[in-house]
Amino acid sequence: MDKGFLIQFAVSAAAVAGLVVLSAWARIARPTPPLDEARARALFAEEFPRQHLESVWIAQDGAGALARSGPSALVLWRSGDGYVARATPWSRALHARFKDGLLRIDFGEAAAPRAVLAMAAWPPGDAPA
Amino acid sequence: MKFDPVTLATPFFILAIILEIALGRLGKAKAVYEPKDTLTSLTMGMGSTVAGVLIGGVIVAASLWVFQHRLFDIPMTAVWAWVAIFLLEDLTYYGFHRISHERRFWWAAHVNHHTSQHYNLSTALRQTWTGGVAGTWLLWLPLSLIGFPPAMVAIQKGISLVYQFWIHTEAIGRMPRWFEAVFNTPSHHRVHHARNPRYLDRNYAGILIVWDRLFGTFEPELDEEPCRYGIVKNLSTFNPLRVAFHEWAAIGGDLLSSRSPREAAGYLFGPPGWSPDGSRETSDMLRVQWKASQARETEEMRRTPASGAEYPVA
C-alpha cells in the first residue's frame, strides 16, 4: 500500500469518527421504550406471522421477550435501536443457563450467538413443561 | 492521474451524510441514525476499500489479459462507446446483483450491505469485504473481451457506485414520475433493502430501474406497507468481523454437516435459506406464505361484510 493510500485511509478514519460523534449528538435513533406485552406481541407477529403465541414473558428491563409457541420458544431482544428474533426448541429455552437474573439462550450462530434476557425467574412459574 | 469517480466523490459522501443527519436532527427530513450502526456501516466501507486494494491487482491483471484478446477496438473518445458501456455495465450490474441475492455463495459476500436495520446514507457505504474473493468481478470481464478498455469499464463501475449512494435515504420520498419510471430511486431502493415478504429480492437495479421492469423483478413501494429494513434473520451484533463473515461461517457449518455432494451444492449455490428438508425458508417460500395469508384475509373479509353493509338503506 502506498503512502497516498495510507493518508487517504487516515483521513477516512478521522471522518468516520467525526460522523459517528455527530450521529450520537443528533440523537435521532428510534425511541426504544421498554417493551410491554402489546408491543412484544406486535413484534412477534412481524417476525413470526404464522406462529400462535401461547404465553409471553417480558424481560424485566423491557429489552426483550420470550414466547411459547407449541414446540418452539420465540425469542426477541433489543440490538441497538432495533430488535432481533430467533426461534429455538422450547426444551432448549427451558434448560438455558439462568444465573444472577440473566437467562442466556445460545443459538450457535455467528450472526446471533446468544440472547441474554433479564428475567425474574426461569423457568417462570406459569411456564408449561 | 487516475480518474476514480468514487475517490472524487468521497468528500461529497461525507458532506451528504452530515446534511442528512442535520436535517434529521432539525426534523426537516426523515433520517434515523443509531451511532453503533453508523460506526459499523462506515467501518465496513473503509474495510471494503482495503479489500479492494488487496484484490485490485488481480482484477486489473485479469481485465488487461482479457482485453488483449478483445473482439473489437472500441475508442474511449467516442460518445456512442460511453452510451454503450453505460447500458452494458448497468445490465451487468443487474445480473451481478441478482445472483448476489439469489445464490448463497454470492449472497455471503453481499449480505453485509443489507445487515443494517436502518436505511440512510451511511448504509450505502456498508460495502462488501469478500466480493473480490467471491469472484463477482468476473462478470465484468466480458465487457473487456468485447473491446471496452478496462479503464472505461472501471470508470463506469465507479459512476454506478456513486449514483447508488444518494438513493440510500428516507429523506427523499418520490422523484418525478418520469424519473421513477426510468431510474433507480430512493423509493425503489428502499424496497430492495426491505425485509417485508412482499419486497424480498426485488429491485436489483443499479442506475436504470428498467431492467427490473423488463425481467419481472420490479416491486413499487407502497405507502400502506412501510419498509422494514434488514435481513430476514437480523444480526444481533455490530462487530464488523461478524457482519462481514457470518454467512460464510454459516455456509462452513452447513457444508460440514452435509451428507452428500448434492446437499453441499445446495447449501453453497442454492438460494439463501435453502435446506435439504425444506425446514428453512427461502425468499420465494416466504413470499408464497405471505401471499397465501393475504388471500385468506381477503377471503375472510369477503365472507364477513362490514357492519351495516348487509342491509343497505335506500
Side-chain angles (χ1 to χ4, degrees):
Chain A
M1 290 184 197
D2 62 12
K3 192 178 169 186
F5 180 80
L6 290 176
I7 292 170
Q8 186 186 333
F9 191 79
V11 171
S12 298
V16 166
L19 290 173
V20 172
V21 168
L22 183 68
S23 70
W25 168 83
R27 293 180 182 276
I28 51 174
R30 294 187 195 101
T32 50
L35 286 177
D36 56 19
E37 185 165 337
R39 175 74 178 133
R41 283 184 178 274
L43 288 169
F44 277 125
E46 276 183 5
E47 297 289 340
F48 307 101
R50 293 183 301 145
Q51 305 272 20
H52 169 70
L53 307 185
E54 295 162 25
S55 306
V56 175
W57 297 274
I58 309 293
Q60 283 192 305
D61 56 3
L66 197 149
R68 171 90 190 256
S69 175
S72 300
L74 312 180
V75 189
L76 185 74
W77 70 105
R78 191 187 297 157
S79 175
D81 61 352
Y83 287 91
V84 178
R86 290 291 188 275
T88 194
W90 174 251
S91 56
R92 185 186 288 184
L94 206 57
H95 298 109
R97 192 152 48 100
F98 182 67
K99 192 180 174 189
D100 301 328
L102 296 177
L103 177 68
R104 297 168 200 275
I105 305 174
D106 290 321
F107 299 104
E109 282 183 43
R114 74 187 55 81
V116 180
L117 302 180
M119 306 299 267
W122 192 259
D126 56 342
Chain B
M1 187 185 157
K2 193 174 75 167
F3 177 74
D4 176 11
V6 178
T7 304
L8 290 175
T10 299
F12 159 74
F13 292 165
I14 295 167
L15 289 173
I17 291 173
I18 292 171
L19 179 65
E20 190 183 40
I21 292 173
L23 290 173
R25 168 71 184 173
L26 295 170
K28 301 287 185 191
K30 186 174 181 189
V32 181
Y33 276 80
E34 200 278 338
K36 282 182 285 196
D37 175 85
T38 306
L39 176 60
T40 302
S41 291
L42 299 178
T43 304
M44 294 302 296
M46 286 181 63
S48 176
T49 308
V50 175
V53 169
L54 293 176
I55 195 102
V58 175
I59 298 172
V60 169
S63 302
L64 289 172
W65 183 82
V66 170
F67 185 63
Q68 284 174 355
H69 301 83
R70 63 189 175 275
L71 301 173
F72 305 101
D73 285 316
I74 298 175
M76 266 185 91
T77 49
V79 173
W80 68 263
W82 282 102
V83 173
I85 191 68
F86 169 74
L87 293 172
L88 289 173
E89 194 284 329
D90 205 44
L91 178 59
T92 304
Y93 182 87
Y94 173 87
F96 144 76
H97 202 183
R98 189 163 176 176
I99 200 173
S100 294
H101 277 260
E102 297 184 357
R103 299 292 138 193
R104 194 183 183 195
F105 181 77
W106 293 285
W107 171 243
H110 182 65
V111 60
N112 67 87
H113 180 62
H114 288 270
T115 50
S116 176
Q117 293 194 42
H118 292 276
Y119 190 74
N120 55 45
L121 291 173
S122 78
T123 313
L125 305 179
R126 190 179 278 234
Q127 291 289 326
T128 183
W129 289 8
T130 56
V133 177
T136 46
W137 50 272
L138 291 164
L139 293 170
W140 277 264
L141 290 184
L143 298 177
S144 295
L145 181 65
I146 292 171
F148 290 102
M152 200 173 179
V153 178
I155 288 170
Q156 186 53 45
K157 280 180 80 172
I159 289 169
S160 177
L161 201 63
V162 171
Y163 178 87
Q164 290 177 57
F165 173 76
W166 77 278
I167 60 177
H168 288 83
T169 184
E170 292 185 287
I172 297 171
R174 302 281 204 287
M175 300 297 288
R177 280 183 68 180
W178 68 268
F179 197 91
E180 295 278 347
V182 179
F183 292 101
N184 198 5
T185 63
S187 175
H188 298 328
H189 207 58
R190 282 194 287 272
V191 164
H192 178 69
H193 274 257
R195 57 197 288 265
N196 317 40
R198 176 197 294 272
Y199 296 146
L200 284 175
D201 287 356
R202 289 292 181 261
N203 299 2
Y204 295 117
I207 297 177
L208 297 172
I209 198 69
V210 292
W211 306 121
D212 284 290
R213 296 184 190 277
L214 204 59
F215 298 122
T217 51
F218 176 71
E219 186 71 37
E221 181 184 32
L222 301 178
D223 292 334
E224 59 269 31
E225 182 156 353
C227 295
R228 293 184 282 114
Y229 303 110
I231 52 179
V232 171
K233 287 186 168 185
N234 276 322
L235 270 63
S236 70
T237 174
F238 294 97
N239 181 337
L241 292 172
R242 285 188 183 273
V243 173
F245 299 111
H246 73 273
E247 189 65 22
W248 292 112
I251 288 177
D254 286 338
L255 289 179
L256 287 175
S257 71
S258 54
R259 293 162 298 184
S260 70
R262 187 189 163 277
E263 270 193 27
Y267 279 130
L268 204 50
F269 299 114
W274 179 89
S275 56
D277 58 359
S279 59
R280 301 181 192 172
E281 290 163 323
T282 65
S283 292
D284 283 345
M285 290 161 70
L286 290 167
R287 190 176 292 105
V288 166
Q289 290 164 11
W290 169 76
K291 278 185 177 167
S293 73
Q294 293 290 107
R296 274 196 305 275
E297 280 177 26
T298 308
E299 181 64 17
E300 281 170 19
M301 283 173 67
R302 197 181 64 79
R303 286 183 180 172
T304 315
S307 166
E310 289 170 306
Y311 306 101
V313 178

